[in-house]
Amino acid sequence: MIRRLARLSITGRLVAMFAAATLATFAVIGAVLYVVMQHELVRHEDEELNTNVQNLTYSIERAGTTDRWGRVQAKMDTLTPPDGSIRFWVLSDDPRFQYGKGLAAIETMLRNDDGSGTIALPSAAAPLRTMTRDISAFQDRPAVRLIVASDTGPYLRTMRVFLVALVGLSLATMLAVVLVGTWIARVGLRPLERLSREARALRPKTPAQRLQVSHLPVELADFAVAFNGAIGRLEDAYRQLEAFNADVAHELRTPLANLIGGTQVALARPRSAAELNEILQSNLEELEQLRLIINDMLFLARADQGEVATGLVRTVLADEVRKTIDFYEVLLDDLGAAVSIEGDVDTEASIERALFRRALSNLLQNAIEHSAPGARIVVEIRRGESDVWVSVVNPGEPIAESHVRRLFDRFYRVDAARNVPGRPHGHGLGLAIVKAVATMHSGSVAAASAGGRTTIGFSVPLASPFVVAPARVRSDVPG
Ligand SMILES: Nc1ncnc2c1ncn2[C@@H]1O[C@H](COP(=O)(O)OP(=O)(O)O)[C@@H](O)[C@H]1O
Ligand SMILES: [Mg+2]
């Protein structure tokens, strides 16, 4: 029932609630009125009965002879209305002092009854309300019992009419509430309809479209503001995606153009085997470049889809850093540069090794690329509360704040032209991959450039007690 109500339109819901509230109000008021009315009618009837009893008791008490009894009978005749709504009986052992029709039936019915009550006579449609009074003997007259009865028919009819009127009125009011409520709800919900219409009209390609907030009631204004915020964020994401597509096309175009150009030149005239070999070698380099870009993009796409680092192992970070640096030994020697590891070198972290090395390699490549020959590069390991930061620090020219903020953007390069031959250089995805690796480890990235030093780093979680290093597992095996 509640589920059904929840799926109803707001109008339907409001109207149903209005109607239920009306019905409940009427039920309570009606019940109270009914009880009060019933009570009043009974009181009124009893009063009438009482008046008659008092009046007749007075006469009967003074009637001690058949003569005077005749007058009492006449009085009771007069008091009995033609419709029989008031009736009198006098029960007596002496037949001369009796009064009323069907005495035998009354007598059996009232044998044990002395006060007021209700009796059902076969001759009457509705029960009779009675009041009884015993009157002691006087002169010739023995003790008698006076019974005054009043027909409850009119009373019951009144109550019935009242009930019908009450139910009728409730239903009519409920109907009116449903109709008026529907109208009110429709009018009240018109802004919502307008909002839906506006929302339906929004098109993905039209920029700067927003829901109009100014004419909305407060309840909907908040929603519209939130909705507009969501559209804004979607728009940003959409723009970024478009820019990314353009960048991808641009990045792929250069190596492709080189390949095509080189091949065309090669085909322009007959070539010796040595020449062809050289051309193929250069083509291979371009193809390798293409493969690198595509691999990086696939990696970023997987990270975008929410892929996280799996196969986490507990690792002393400094060891992992050392192994990664070894990979650049030749290059560093050529440049006369050196890399040292500083900070909390004993720190253990939970990492996926391949991912960690990939991120650190990118940072080292950048540091090597951007430092002068003979530079001292430092890998800093700083332990935090729940994570550990690995940053590569190299001496270099300061990077403007506006660039620092965007370093981790895809394809972003401060100076795209600055590629020094013989040193590693990328295509602007290196730091984006560092950021993706950090995200896959629930970490984050940071970059700073101050005092002639550039620091770029990322964080990974500290070793958790639930991740066991494979080495330790092996050492547990006996033998
Ligand atoms: N250590 C650094 N010193 C100065 N600039 C850097 C450093 N690391 C990165 N950058 C800047 O950030 C840009 C983005 O780096 P990255 O994403 O690795 O792309 P790429 O190395 O392919 O250019 C680089 O082009 C460079 O301008
Ligand atoms: Mg790079």
Side-chain angles (χ1 to χ4, degrees):
M1 168 72 194
I2 299 228
R3 272 244 187 101
R4 277 261 273 302
L5 198 65
R7 286 191 52 189
L8 228 61
S9 69
I10 293 186
T11 308
R13 241 187 274 189
L14 286 178
V15 169
M17 286 189 278
F18 280 152
T22 312
L23 201 63
T25 313
F26 264 84
V28 171
I29 294 178
V32 171
L33 278 183
Y34 191 85
V35 169
V36 168
M37 175 117 167
Q38 193 174 36
H39 187 260
E40 272 309 293
L41 281 178
V42 167
R43 200 179 58 83
H44 182 75
E45 250 192 340
D46 282 353
E47 244 168 39
E48 204 182 346
L49 281 175
N50 209 23
T51 314
N52 279 306
V53 168
Q54 303 245 317
N55 185 356
L56 283 174
T57 305
Y58 183 79
S59 303
I60 293 170
E61 269 173 352
R62 278 157 191 74
T65 62
T66 43
D67 231 19
R68 296 197 67 158
W69 184 249
R71 265 191 267 160
V72 173
Q73 277 179 322
K75 184 174 183 179
M76 288 194 279
D77 284 345
T78 328
L79 285 174
T80 308
D83 62 357
S85 57
I86 299 280
R87 297 197 205 178
F88 305 95
W89 290 275
V90 177
L91 305 181
S92 164
D93 294 338
D94 188 339
R96 291 177 301 159
F97 294 95
Q98 287 181 339
Y99 181 83
K101 278 182 243 149
L103 274 176
I106 294 290
E107 213 163 5
T108 48
M109 266 179 228
L110 290 175
R111 180 123 307 155
N112 300 317
D113 195 2
D114 52 343
S116 64
T118 318
I119 56 167
L121 278 188
S123 59
L128 297 170
R129 205 170 163 71
T130 60
M131 202 168 270
T132 309
R133 179 71 56 86
D134 288 322
I135 301 163
S136 45
F138 181 57
Q139 295 177 350
D140 296 351
R141 179 177 58 76
V144 294
R145 172 177 280 190
L146 166 69
I147 299 158
V148 182
S150 111
D151 186 5
T152 58
Y155 151 79
L156 288 179
R157 256 192 312 282
T158 308
M159 289 313 293
R160 209 161 30 234
V161 169
F162 181 68
L163 192 67
V164 168
L166 210 62
V167 170
L169 190 66
S170 308
L171 291 180
T173 311
M174 209 169 86
L175 189 70
V177 164
V178 166
L179 292 178
V180 175
T182 308
W183 180 74
I184 291 177
R186 287 247 169 89
V187 171
L189 290 176
R190 228 167 254 165
L192 196 64
E193 249 170 59
R194 205 161 44 213
L195 203 65
S196 317
R197 232 177 302 127
E198 271 181 34
R200 264 198 299 275
L202 297 180
R203 291 285 171 269
K205 279 285 184 180
T206 325
Q209 288 187 108
R210 294 292 183 273
L211 298 178
Q212 302 214 349
V213 180
S214 55
H215 63 257
L216 286 177
V218 275
E219 292 90 339
L220 288 181
D222 278 354
F223 166 76
V225 168
F227 188 84
N228 283 344
I231 295 184
R233 288 192 293 279
L234 279 179
E235 248 174 39
D236 287 348
Y238 194 77
R239 252 199 306 274
Q240 264 177 24
L241 200 67
E242 279 184 334
F244 182 64
N245 282 345
D247 285 339
V248 168
H250 184 79
E251 287 301 321
L252 294 181
R253 201 168 56 173
T254 313
L256 274 178
N258 291 347
L259 271 173
I260 292 170
T263 313
Q264 275 170 343
V265 168
L267 290 175
R269 59 184 172 83
R271 302 277 178 189
S272 68
E275 277 176 320
L276 283 177
N277 194 16
E278 194 182 322
I279 290 162
L280 280 178
Q281 197 62 46
S282 129
N283 280 2
L284 186 62
E285 270 168 33
E286 296 295 348
L287 286 169
E288 286 290 356
Q289 191 66 22
L290 274 176
R291 185 168 66 175
L292 280 179
I293 298 179
I294 289 169
N295 276 350
D296 283 356
M297 274 166 40
L298 280 177
F299 179 84
L300 288 173
R302 288 211 320 269
D304 276 348
Q305 280 161 12
E307 200 171 293
V308 292
T310 48
L312 294 180
V313 284
R314 205 184 164 119
T315 313
V316 177
L317 277 188
D319 295 349
E320 213 56 38
V321 173
R322 170 64 49 212
K323 286 178 201 157
T324 314
I325 294 171
D326 286 349
F327 192 74
Y328 289 94
E329 215 172 56
V330 181
L331 193 62
L332 287 167
D333 282 349
D334 285 352
L335 286 170
V339 182
S340 58
I341 306 172
E342 289 178 6
D344 307 316
V345 290
D346 303 329
T347 312
E348 288 189 340
S350 291
I351 53 167
E352 183 174 333
R353 283 192 177 132
L355 291 180
F356 179 84
R357 284 196 200 176
R358 187 165 185 173
L360 187 64
S361 286
N362 287 356
L363 292 181
L364 284 172
Q365 275 177 32
N366 283 348
I368 295 168
E369 187 183 340
H370 292 96
S371 2
R376 311 237 67 81
I377 298 170
V378 178
V379 177
E380 263 182 13
I381 299 174
R382 291 263 172 265
R383 189 195 168 105
E385 288 243 318
S386 61
D387 56 4
V388 45
W389 279 87
V390 180
S391 312
V392 177
V393 189
N394 68 284
E397 285 174 18
I399 312 170
E401 180 54 37
S402 59
H403 290 304
V404 171
R405 252 183 288 125
R406 300 197 51 196
L407 286 187
F408 295 95
D409 288 358
R410 285 163 198 197
F411 293 117
Y412 189 79
R413 276 172 287 189
V414 176
D415 181 4
R418 205 188 116 162
N419 278 332
V420 181
R423 293 206 208 165
H425 64 267
H427 31 265
L429 291 177
L431 291 183
I433 283 176
V434 173
K435 187 174 173 182
V437 169
T439 308
M440 286 164 109
H441 283 89
S442 317
S444 48
V445 289
S449 169
R453 280 158 36 108
T454 304
T455 308
I456 304 180
F458 65 105
S459 68
V460 289
L462 274 180
S464 97
F466 305 110
V467 179
V468 182
R472 183 159 326 157
V473 174
R474 266 199 302 276
S475 73
D476 287 341
V477 179

